[in-house]
Amino acid sequence: MRSFNRFSRAMFSTGAEIRAAYFDPSHEFEGLAVDAAIEALKNADAVCFDVDSTVIQEEGIDVLADSLGKGKAVAEWTAKAMNGGVTFQEALAARLSLIEPSRSAIEDCLKNNPLQLTPGVDEVISELQNRGTAVYLVSGGFRIMIEPVADILSVPIKNIYANHILFDDDGNYAGFDENEPTSRSKGKPKALEMIKGENGYETMVMVGDGATDAEAKPPAKAFIGFGGVQAREPVREKACWFVRDFQDMVKVIKAA
């Protein structure tokens, strides 16, 4: 990769120009609108990341289920949800009814099985933040499990849009907040609409590995599918740009 000073970087305004300047000619690009996605990422004032199998290398609910001895059954529902085979709310309700996690069970799970960041995601988020781009975590997972991840990545807690598990006074499972947009199908576009409306962002990008992430365009200007943990064919087919390594995104962000 050739290096350029800040002045010369500003000269590359289109996706095609950035590709030519920052990527090896042999690099293979996948996606329906790669140049448009690169331009959107370059100009984005907000980037929203899915968490499970994107920011982290696992599906958080599967890790929790494994710790409670219900891993196989829950993983089957997770696969159905990520590939678009069932509505998200059906999968969420079914998985939680199988495990009914208490607050202490979740805390023990996180202590004994800390969630692992996907290689390169910390650099992507840091580069975005350094240039003044807002970063959000928009997930069908659980806030109680995502907050420690957000803390590691210096993402403000207020920038988490995820599901709330409810507990009774003794910390036992008592359901989930069905009013959260991320608890329902088409919840991620709704969450992004809320983020955009509250902050006035002009160019938003959604990054994720699942069918629910692809639904977030629009209001996202571009959907970048991520296949570095799980490469899902239905997602690859819908992605404006499909990447398998976060370093591809880093190159574009540094070109801005």
Side-chain angles (χ1 to χ4, degrees):
M1 182 182 72
R2 288 169 285 179
S3 62
F4 299 86
N5 61 33
R6 182 176 295 274
F7 175 77
S8 61
R9 284 177 178 168
M11 296 173 63
F12 302 109
S13 59
T14 70
E17 289 171 341
I18 292 171
R19 280 210 273 177
Y22 289 92
F23 290 86
D24 189 276
S26 64
H27 187 89
E28 294 186 7
F29 290 88
E30 301 176 82
L32 299 175
V34 174
D35 287 343
I38 288 175
E39 289 176 34
L41 180 59
K42 174 182 179 291
N43 298 316
D45 42 16
V47 178
C48 301
F49 290 84
D50 177 38
V51 176
D52 298 323
S53 295
T54 301
V55 170
I56 62 172
Q57 298 182 57
E58 310 96 341
E59 293 288 327
I61 192 170
D62 292 349
V63 173
L64 179 59
D66 281 339
S67 73
L68 296 172
K70 302 289 182 66
K72 182 178 179 180
V74 168
E76 290 174 354
W77 277 101
T78 299
K80 291 178 184 178
M82 291 301 99
N83 290 316
V86 296
T87 65
F88 186 81
Q89 61 263 45
E90 288 176 327
L92 180 62
R95 290 178 291 178
L96 283 173
S97 68
L98 283 169
I99 57 177
E100 296 189 336
S102 66
R103 183 184 294 276
S104 62
I106 295 173
E107 292 171 349
D108 287 345
C109 173
L110 293 175
K111 179 180 178 180
N112 297 324
N113 306 279
L115 300 175
Q116 301 298 307
L117 293 180
T118 301
V121 72
D122 51 347
E123 185 178 4
V124 170
I125 290 177
S126 177
E127 290 290 345
L128 287 168
Q129 292 169 330
N130 287 342
R131 77 172 194 188
T133 300
V135 173
Y136 291 83
L137 303 180
V138 181
S139 173
F142 308 121
R143 175 177 288 271
I144 190 173
M145 300 183 74
I146 293 171
E147 286 181 352
V149 175
D151 184 58
I152 292 171
L153 295 170
S154 299
V155 174
I157 297 300
K158 66 181 180 63
N159 286 14
I160 299 174
Y161 286 71
N163 291 313
H164 285 270
I165 296 179
L166 305 177
F167 305 101
D168 63 20
D169 292 341
D170 295 322
N172 297 312
Y173 174 73
F176 63 95
D177 185 352
E178 297 183 11
N179 293 318
E180 284 287 344
T182 51
S183 72
R184 305 185 297 273
S185 293
K186 305 293 184 182
K188 289 188 178 178
K190 178 63 176 177
L192 264 67
E193 287 173 1
M194 293 169 59
I195 293 169
K196 186 174 184 178
E198 291 170 1
N199 298 278
Y201 296 128
E202 294 184 1
T203 304
M204 300 179 69
V205 173
M206 181 73 205
V207 183
D209 73 296
T212 59
D213 305 308
E215 294 174 345
K217 176 186 178 291
K221 191 166 186 178
F223 166 56
I224 299 177
F226 182 70
V229 177
Q230 292 287 336
R232 308 181 197 278
E233 186 61 21
V235 176
R236 190 187 68 81
E237 292 175 350
K238 295 177 181 177
C240 301
W241 183 23
F242 190 76
V243 302
R244 301 171 188 270
D245 189 327
F246 277 126
Q247 286 304 312
D248 289 349
M249 292 178 60
V250 170
K251 290 178 183 179
V252 174
I253 296 164
K254 287 185 174 181

